[in-house]
Every structure is written in C-alpha cells, then in structure tokens.
Amino acid sequence: MKFWGKVRRYNQRGKKLGFPTANINLRKNIPEGIYISKTKLENKSYPSLTFIGTAKTFGEIRFHGETYILDFNQDISDKWISVKLIKKIRDNRKFDSTEELIKQMKKDEQEARKYFSNKS
C-alpha cells in the first residue's frame, strides 16, 4: 500500500517525543496502525516507520499519517513525499502515559531497524 502528500507542519509533538515525523493528511482508506515503511523524497528512498490513524493517547480525532524517517534530520515541511507501507507491526492504541508511548515507539523503531538490517 502506498500514499503520498505534502508534508504539513502540525503540532510537532513527534519532535518533542524524540521522533520527528513528517505529517500528511489522509483519507480513512488505510487501516490504522504502525508500519515499517519506505519514504521517498526527491527520488531517494529512506527506511522509515509510519503511524496511520488518530493519536488516541492525546485524544485527537484527526486521521493522518506520520512518518519517522530513520537517521534523517532535515526540515521537509511543504515538500512532497510518498510512503510505501511494507509491514504492519502493531495496531494503533491509546497509552496511559507519554512515557509508555515513548517506550513502545523505541521498541517499534528497534523492530524497523532489525527489518532493514536483514534486507541490506
């Protein structure tokens, strides 16, 4: 499954949590969850981790995609990207605390890194 869009600056929560993400508005035609993904920017493809859904932990109702590009540190606001979802690793869920969410995000990142290290 693939989607694309223009990166939108939102509330920059991912950056504050240690996982800067590229936010894209989406229609609700992609199942919610966390995915290992590949993100394409300016004809270059990067390993990434993508969240699809509503940020339940923060009580949000806006359905969107957030892509965390591994080992990437550039401001790509207003640039077009495409994201290919490779493998769903878990469902979207509400966490009891920000700390619990960060702990799970670190596990998700480790799983993505393991996936990509086995592919190289």
Side-chain angles (χ1 to χ4, degrees):
M1 192 172 303
K2 199 179 214 183
F3 65 91
W4 58 90
K6 195 174 196 179
V7 176
R8 305 288 183 196
R9 192 175 297 270
Y10 192 52
N11 60 19
Q12 299 195 355
R13 185 182 298 123
K15 187 176 187 178
K16 294 171 192 160
L17 297 175
F19 294 86
T21 57
N23 296 280
I24 298 176
N25 295 330
L26 294 176
R27 292 192 179 95
K28 292 186 178 189
N29 60 347
I30 301 173
E32 289 193 45
I34 309 301
Y35 295 83
I36 292 171
S37 57
K38 281 266 192 171
T39 300
K40 192 172 185 180
L41 167 70
E42 298 173 346
N43 293 318
K44 187 169 180 191
S45 194
Y46 300 90
S48 54
L49 193 58
T50 300
F51 164 80
I52 304 291
T54 59
K56 296 177 181 183
T57 300
F58 301 100
E60 291 185 4
I61 58 169
R62 182 179 72 99
F63 187 88
H64 66 289
E66 292 185 47
T67 298
Y68 171 58
I69 303 171
L70 304 178
D71 304 316
F72 186 86
N73 190 19
Q74 295 177 30
D75 182 1
I76 57 172
S77 297
D78 296 323
K79 295 196 184 228
W80 286 86
I81 62 172
S82 67
V83 179
K84 180 181 179 187
L85 303 177
I86 298 170
K87 176 184 173 188
K88 185 174 182 178
I89 58 174
R90 68 175 174 87
D91 290 329
N92 182 16
R93 69 187 255 284
K94 183 180 188 310
F95 291 89
D96 294 330
S97 68
T98 302
E99 293 76 22
E100 190 180 321
L101 171 62
I102 292 169
K103 187 176 178 181
Q104 181 61 56
M105 290 167 70
K106 287 179 179 177
K107 287 180 185 175
D108 297 339
E109 180 183 11
Q110 287 175 341
E111 188 166 342
R113 287 187 183 281
K114 182 178 177 184
Y115 174 88
F116 287 114
S117 71
N118 289 336
K119 296 293 176 189
S120 42

